[in-house]
Structures are given as C-alpha cells and as structure tokens.
Amino acid sequence: MTVTLNHTIVPARDNERAARFFADVMGLACLPPAGTRGHFAPVRVNDSLTLDYMTVEEPEGHHLAFDVDPATFDAILFRLRERGVPYGSHPADPVNGRVDHPLCPRGLFFRDDSGNLYEVMSPE
C-alpha cells in the first residue's frame, strides 16, 4: 500500500472562519463538521486529503504547501487580490505582493489570522 496523507489538523482561533477563509481562497469546499463532538471544520483538498481545522486557545501556525496547475494558481491569485489578502513570494516576506517564488516559476505565500502560512506553487 502506498503511504498517503489522509488529513491533518490545522489549529485556528475560530475553526469555521479559518476553514471558510482557506476554502474560499483556494476554491475548495468546506465539509460538514466532523469528529466525535463535531469540533473539526474540514476542508476537502483532494480525493485523499482533508484539512481539519480545530479551534484552540493559542494556535501555533503551521506551514502548508500546495502544488497547483497554472490555471488554479491564477484563480487563487485573483481571489487573494479580490479579497485584499496580502501575499508574497517568500516565507520571510509573505506580504511583498510578488509571485517570483525561489523554488518554482510562480509561487506565493499568504497567512490566515491564526498564523498559518500557506504556500502555493505552480510550474508555469
């Protein structure tokens, strides 16, 4: 059997707000609450992965990186600009408004209000 990441828990100040923010920017769907007490706000990333947002008192931001095709990258960039979400080309400067990523032709970083750093990379 191939090893596949099924889900990961993403800490957030408000799990539903953080899940909606990520899903909206990335063009993904939020799923119904999950977990034994419904305390996760899951977002379906692809057929095998969900991000399960969980409310915690003092979230410690995670770094989550995604490979996307050029059309998806353009759509994400459009939604970031449309919503006025700062983004940038480097993890040390995720608000410089650039997409000249150091590891790929086009890429960007953006943060949510819980300190999670999202990285989006495109081959073109």
Side-chain angles (χ1 to χ4, degrees):
M1 177 178 173
T2 302
V3 176
T4 305
L5 181 63
N6 175 274
H7 71 277
T8 191
I9 296 172
V10 182
R13 286 184 175 80
D14 177 325
N15 64 345
E16 291 179 15
R17 186 176 70 224
R20 276 193 312 275
F21 170 78
F22 175 74
D24 287 349
V25 167
M26 299 294 285
L28 302 170
C30 288
L31 301 175
T36 56
R37 298 178 310 276
H39 58 284
F40 294 122
V43 175
R44 170 71 58 204
V45 175
N46 58 41
D47 291 341
S48 64
L49 176 63
T50 60
L51 298 185
D52 293 350
Y53 287 82
M54 183 174 79
T55 299
V56 297
E57 283 186 35
E58 295 183 33
E60 220 176 85
H62 288 195
H63 177 169
L64 302 158
F66 303 92
D67 290 322
V68 299
D69 61 70
T72 301
F73 184 89
D74 290 340
I76 291 166
L77 182 58
F78 175 81
R79 288 188 290 268
L80 288 168
R81 288 175 174 162
E82 183 179 60
R83 290 165 174 75
V85 176
Y87 63 89
S89 61
H90 196 277
D93 191 6
V95 297
N96 65 19
R98 296 171 28 193
V99 297
D100 55 328
H101 193 283
L103 302 176
C104 62
R106 290 191 311 155
L108 59 82
F109 297 83
F110 66 96
R111 289 192 185 278
D112 67 16
D113 68 356
S114 297
N116 295 301
L117 180 67
Y118 300 99
E119 182 176 9
V120 181
M121 297 175 285
S122 174
E124 313 175 2

